[in-house]
Each structure stands twice: as structure tokens, then as C-alpha cells.
């Protein structure tokens, strides 16, 4: 992965070609989709058991939690596939993003439930990864889930459970959430940045500009300037993370579409403001221009993925802290019964 530059119009097309090659690699498909699906299918098929005490349960090797890494991996792959199909062929990204958002959200929600139930003391969720879920939910248009996850992110941060490893998009999400959900206690992007972070791309300054103009009239020249600055900053962050410095957008699909800007546009619409007329701002890929009418439609994330439904059905029976899932995130419906064989 090389760096992207706003000085050349070829950069987005190069990123799209790299994404296509990455998706076509059989090793990536096996590692990020096939193996996680097998692991989660095995988890979903485990019996639900009751034990007289914790020692007996431990001796039996009883598994309560699914691999949340696998859940996130499936969502990550679906999201990348949708971005490629959208950018390369004009396919509607909605259905695949819908499934991706469900996998990624429930994976992180399970971690939060494990924390709540005392199974773990650290949910191991970084702010930039939590932000990716928020932006995806917002892009899809699921306002309810976006608010639920946003409030949970802020609660995790207040409790010291949402660390930041030098990202810029994570602090942007948290600042954006305070301006949207708790405007009386709104905080700037810098309040959520890792102490001592060196922002060589200028992304935090650019993101602060978007926060400052969250409620600005769509035709304002200042809003257009802030959007272009954020688009440039996104491109400067599409670089390989090294031992010396980390960059937020080193995934190939992030080099094609700026999900954090889609999330910002959606939250503006929820606040009653139209998308900027010059959206998407150069140098973003033309695919960032979603279909006409996209921003006026709310889309609840999909709860019909058969494997996800089976996984969460078991989670909701055995996981410590599962009450939090029901309290903060309405539980998924039980899986559909297997269809009966057709009579000859």
C-alpha cells in the first residue's frame, strides 16, 4: 500500500485496483471470511448447558462467548466487497453494508456484554474501531442503532474502556457524538486524542472543522472549505502504519471511500441539514456520491443473516452480561426453524 495524494486524479482508481486484487486473493478470502464463518458456525452449534458451579463448567471447557474477532472480520470483508462493487460497478452498497454493520455492531456489543457480566475486565475496543462501526451504521441510515452504539461509545470512554492508539478518526467520532447526542456537554476533537499524539496529516484540525460546521447551512462557503480540507486529510491518512507512526486508513477499501465523511453527512441530515451541494469533495472517489435519495431514507440494519442470528441466539442464552444486550440493543429474533423436507 503506497500513500495516496490529492495531487493526482489517478489515486482513487489505483486504490480501487488494489482493493480488487486484495479481494481476489484466495488467502484473504479464507482468512477473513471462510475461517471466521466456520468458527462461528461451530460456536452456534454448541449445546446450551447448565452447570452446578463454575469449577464444573471450567472443567468441561464450556464456551460461552463467540469469537468477536471473527464477527468483526466477516463484517469487515462484507464492507470491503460492497465498496468495491459500488465503486467498480455501481452496485447498491446498502444490502451488504447492512449485513456488515450487523456483524460488526453485534461483535462489539458482545464484548461490552462480557465486560458487564464480569467475564472480562477490558473489552479491547479501540476508539478508531468503534468509530468504524458508528460510521457504517450512520452511512446505512440506522439512526436507532447509531444512537445506541454512540451512547455506549461515550460511556466506554468515560469509564476508561475505549483507549486510543493515536487515531484521528476515533476522536472525531467521539467529538461528533457529543455535539449530536449531548450538545450541552459537547467537546472538541482534541479532547479525545491520545496525549502527545503528533498529527502530521492535519486530520484532527480538519475534523474539528467539520464538527464546527455540523449545523452550518449547506450553501456556506466555509462548510465547503471544511469538507475539502477533511477530504484531503483522509487521503493523507491512507498510508501504511509503521513502527514510528500510525495512520487511520491503511485498509484498501478506506482508500476508496471515506466512511467517516459519510457518517458526518448522515448525522447532519439527522440534525435537519442537507448534504453539501458539492459532495463528494475532491479528491474523494466518485463512488462517494451515493444514489439519489440515499440521505433521506433510514434503513434498520439487517437481522436476517442466518449465521449471525444463530450465533446471537446462543449468546442471548449463555453469555454473562446478556441482560445489557437486551437493555441497550434490542435482541435479535430467534433463528427460523429448519424447513421441512418436501414430500416426494
Amino acid at each position: 500500500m503506497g500513500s495516496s495524494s490529492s495531487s493526482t486524479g489517478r489515486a482513487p482508481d489505483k486504490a480501487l485496483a488494489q482493493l480488487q486484487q486484495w479481494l481476489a486473493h484466495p488467502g484473504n478470502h479464507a482468512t477473513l471470511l471462510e475461517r471466521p464463518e466456520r468458527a462461528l458456525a461451530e460456536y452456534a452449534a454448541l449445546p446450551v448447558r447448565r452447570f452446578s458451579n463454575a469449577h464444573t463448567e471450567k472443567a468441561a471447557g464450556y464456551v460461552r462467548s463467540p469469537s468477536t474477532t471473527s464477527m468483526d472480520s466477516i463484517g469487515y470483508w462484507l464492507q470491503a466487497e460492497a465498496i468495491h462493487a459500488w465503486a467498480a460497478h455501481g452496485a447498491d452498497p446498502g444490502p451488504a453494508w447492512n449485513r456488515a454493520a450487523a456483524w460488526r455492531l453485534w461483535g462489539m456489543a458482545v464484548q461490552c456484554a462480557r465486560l458487564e457480566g464480569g467475564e472480562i475486565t477490558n473489552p479491547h475496543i479501540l476508539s478508531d474501531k468503534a468509530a468504524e462501526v458508528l460510521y457504517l451504521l450512520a452511512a446505512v441510515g440506522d439512526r436507532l442503532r447509531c444512537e445506541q452504539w454512540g451512547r455506549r461509545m461515550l460511556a466506554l470512554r468515560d469509564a476508561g474502556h475505549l483507549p486510543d492508539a493515536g487515531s484521528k478518526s476515533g476522536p472525531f467520532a467521539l467529538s461528533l457524538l457529543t455535539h449530536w447526542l449531548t450538545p450541552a456537554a459537547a467537546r472538541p476533537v482534541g479532547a479525545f486524542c491520545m496525549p502527545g499524539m503528533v498529527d502530521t496529516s492535519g486530520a484532527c484540525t480538519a475534523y474539528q472543522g467539520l464538527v464546527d460546521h455540523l449545523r452550518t447551512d449547506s450553501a456556506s462557503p466555509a462548510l465547503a472549505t471544511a469538507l475539502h480540507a477533511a477530504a484531503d486529510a483522509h487521503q493523507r491518512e491512507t498510508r501504511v502504519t509503521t513502527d514510528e507512526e500510525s495512520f487511520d486508513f491503511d485498509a484498501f477499501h478506506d482508500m476508496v471511500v471515506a466512511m467517516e465523511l459519510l457518517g458526518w453527512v448522515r448525522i447532519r441530515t439527522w440534525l435537519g441539514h442537507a448534504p453539501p451541494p458539492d459532495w463528494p469533495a475532491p479528491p474523494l472517489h466518485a463512488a462517494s456520491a451515493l444514489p439519489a435519495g440515499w440521505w433521506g431514507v433510514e434503513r434498520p440494519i439487517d437481522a436476517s443473516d442466518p449465521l449471525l442470528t444463530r450465533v446471537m441466539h446462543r449468546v442471548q442464552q449463555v453469555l454473562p452480561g446478556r441482560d445489557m444486550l437486551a437493555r441497550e440493543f434490542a435482541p435479535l429474533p430467534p433463528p427460523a426453524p429448519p424447513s421441512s423436507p418436501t414430500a416426494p
Side-chain angles (χ1 to χ4, degrees):
M1 281 181 283
S3 63
S4 297
S5 168
S6 61
S7 63
T8 171
R10 295 192 302 274
D13 292 329
K14 179 180 178 182
L16 183 59
Q18 290 175 317
L19 174 60
Q20 181 173 355
Q21 292 173 359
W22 182 82
L23 287 168
H25 193 289
N28 294 333
H29 189 270
T31 301
L32 293 171
L33 186 65
E34 294 172 8
R35 291 175 193 167
E37 286 181 335
R38 284 199 300 271
L40 291 167
E42 290 172 1
Y43 167 84
L46 291 173
V48 175
R49 298 175 59 187
R50 299 288 182 265
F51 295 88
S52 58
N53 58 64
H55 299 292
T56 308
E57 179 178 322
K58 184 175 181 181
Y62 191 61
V63 177
R64 289 188 177 272
S65 175
S67 168
T68 53
T69 300
S70 292
M71 295 176 75
D72 190 67
S73 180
I74 291 173
Y76 182 92
W77 182 267
L78 292 170
Q79 183 177 350
E81 279 190 323
I83 286 176
H84 177 264
W86 172 29
H89 309 296
D92 178 4
W97 275 0
N98 206 300
R99 288 181 62 209
W103 274 110
R104 301 196 72 181
L105 172 67
W106 284 104
M108 291 199 175
V110 165
Q111 282 291 86
C112 295
R114 295 181 69 197
L115 176 69
E116 181 115 345
E119 189 180 27
I120 56 176
T121 58
N122 186 342
H124 299 291
I125 299 174
L126 293 175
S127 70
D128 60 319
K129 297 305 178 185
E132 288 178 6
V133 176
L134 183 82
Y135 300 140
L136 183 55
L137 288 166
V140 167
D142 191 332
R143 182 168 184 165
L144 174 61
R145 296 294 193 196
C146 206
E147 288 183 4
Q148 290 172 335
W149 181 238
R151 293 188 187 281
R152 172 50 66 163
M153 283 177 63
L154 291 173
L156 287 171
R157 179 61 165 66
D158 289 344
H161 288 307
L162 195 68
D164 192 88
S167 79
K168 296 85 175 176
S169 63
F172 173 47
L174 290 165
S175 177
L176 192 60
L177 284 170
T178 64
H179 283 76
W180 176 36
L181 300 177
T182 59
R187 303 178 69 187
V189 174
F192 298 103
C193 290
M194 185 177 72
M197 184 190 70
V198 178
D199 181 16
T200 56
S201 69
C204 285
T205 300
Y207 290 150
Q208 184 60 52
L210 290 185
V211 169
D212 291 342
H213 292 289
L214 185 60
R215 294 174 171 84
T216 299
D217 182 83
S218 297
S220 167
L223 177 62
T225 298
L227 179 57
H228 281 254
D232 280 327
H234 177 92
Q235 294 297 86
R236 289 192 295 271
E237 280 287 319
T238 58
R239 285 185 275 175
V240 177
T241 292
T242 67
D243 291 338
E244 291 76 30
E245 191 169 8
S246 62
F247 298 94
D248 281 34
F249 307 121
D250 56 2
F252 288 117
H253 62 267
D254 283 327
M255 296 181 181
V256 177
V257 173
M259 296 299 297
E260 82 279 16
L261 301 188
L262 296 183
W264 171 81
V265 172
R266 174 71 73 180
I267 289 174
R268 267 182 59 83
T269 67
W270 286 336
L271 290 169
H273 301 284
D278 57 349
W279 173 264
L284 299 180
H285 197 283
S288 297
L290 283 151
W294 179 275
W295 303 108
V297 178
E298 293 193 14
R299 305 168 186 81
I301 58 171
D302 198 352
S304 62
D305 185 298
L307 178 56
L308 176 59
T309 302
R310 296 202 309 273
V311 167
M312 292 307 299
H313 181 62
R314 187 170 190 275
V315 162
Q316 288 160 184
Q317 296 178 81
V318 304
L319 191 71
R322 58 188 179 274
D323 290 346
M324 185 279 286
L325 295 176
R327 184 177 70 248
E328 295 190 25
F329 304 93
L332 294 177
S339 57
S340 56
T342 304

